[in-house]
Amino acid sequence: MSSKSQLTYTARASKHPNALARRLFEIAEAKKSNVTVSADVTTTKSCWTWLTTHIDILSDFSDATINGLNALAAKHNFLIFEDRKFIDIGNTVQKQYHNGALRISEWAHIINCAVLPGEGIVEALAQTASAADFPYGPERGLLILAEMTSKGSLATGPYTTASVDYARKYKGFVMGFVSTRALNEVQSEATSASEDEDFVVFTTGVNLASKGDSLGQQYQTPQSAIGRGADFIIAGRGIYAAPDPVEAAQRYQKEGWRRTWPVWGQLTAE
Ligand code: 6AU
């Protein structure tokens, strides 16, 4: 596990080179929450640190969606992570991200991409975000999908190593990974970690009640995810499909947060 993950979120926020990561840690600390839930749940927004969306599955996407998301995020102080998983040549992803039909750059603080196309996809998205006429500046960040939770995932080995390499090369825009564990121990011949390296680890496939679904999804518990180095956990059906989603959101929030404390050596009992 990363030595950085043994620091409090406040300590990491004070030193982090990425402005959006700093803000994310600050919000997490203020809300005592490192959990995200699906956009389907509208009643628990005050405990969201950030909200994960799949904008392309909305049947009624419009300007009202964008205005609503922006207003909610500002009012309740959370970031929006659009789980669009960009995966195409650089020229195409630039258009999908900025000024495209879904206007993702206007409202999504965080996006993610897969590195199947190679380094160019990360370079292209970073280039768009650093362009002089890009209006959102340091308020935007990218996560690289370095591993996947589905059974038989091919995002392993050299693929994961390449994800770490590209993150290091474009660390101004890449704030971390979607992965099942901290990746600081991944050995790469191409790149090495800088002194201030502190990629944020977002772990999905988190569920307290299930080990998986019938379509290959594989779950771990919040405790296990945090133990493997997750800084933030993403829970979908474990929260929104629970009999009482509000109660479930609070349980995941408590589990996710409580479990981080022993890692920091600050808590021996609840
Ligand atoms: O908890 P679930 O299974 O209901 O939902 C998990 C959410 C879904 C997936 O699209 C997403 O997490 N996800 C991701 C992400 C966030 O990129 C990566 C992955 O490897 N597995 C995964 O489930 O919205």
Side-chain angles (χ1 to χ4, degrees), residues 61 66 95-96 99-104:
F61 176 83
I66 296 176
K95 292 172 183 155
Q96 289 170 327
N99 294 331
L102 300 174
R103 295 160 53 191
I104 292 171

Side-chain angles (χ1 to χ4, degrees), residues 101-138:
L102 300 174
R103 295 160 53 191
I104 292 171
S105 61
E106 278 183 48
W107 51 269
H109 301 94
I110 305 169
I111 52 167
N112 57 352
C113 78
V115 296
L116 187 67
E119 182 178 333
I121 187 169
V122 184
E123 181 184 9
L125 291 167
Q127 187 185 80
T128 294
S130 63
D133 60 352
F134 185 75
Y136 314 108

Side-chain angles (χ1 to χ4, degrees), residues 226-243:
I226 298 293
R228 288 162 61 92
D231 298 310
F232 292 92
I233 54 179
I234 301 172
R237 286 164 286 181
I239 293 177
Y240 73 72

Side-chain angles (χ1 to χ4, degrees), residues 164-185:
V164 174
D165 287 335
Y166 304 155
R168 286 180 177 152
K169 283 184 85 170
Y170 300 94
K171 68 178 177 185
F173 188 47
V174 178
M175 58 189 284
F177 305 105
V178 176
S179 57
T180 64
R181 62 193 165 109
L183 297 177
N184 58 297
E185 278 161 18

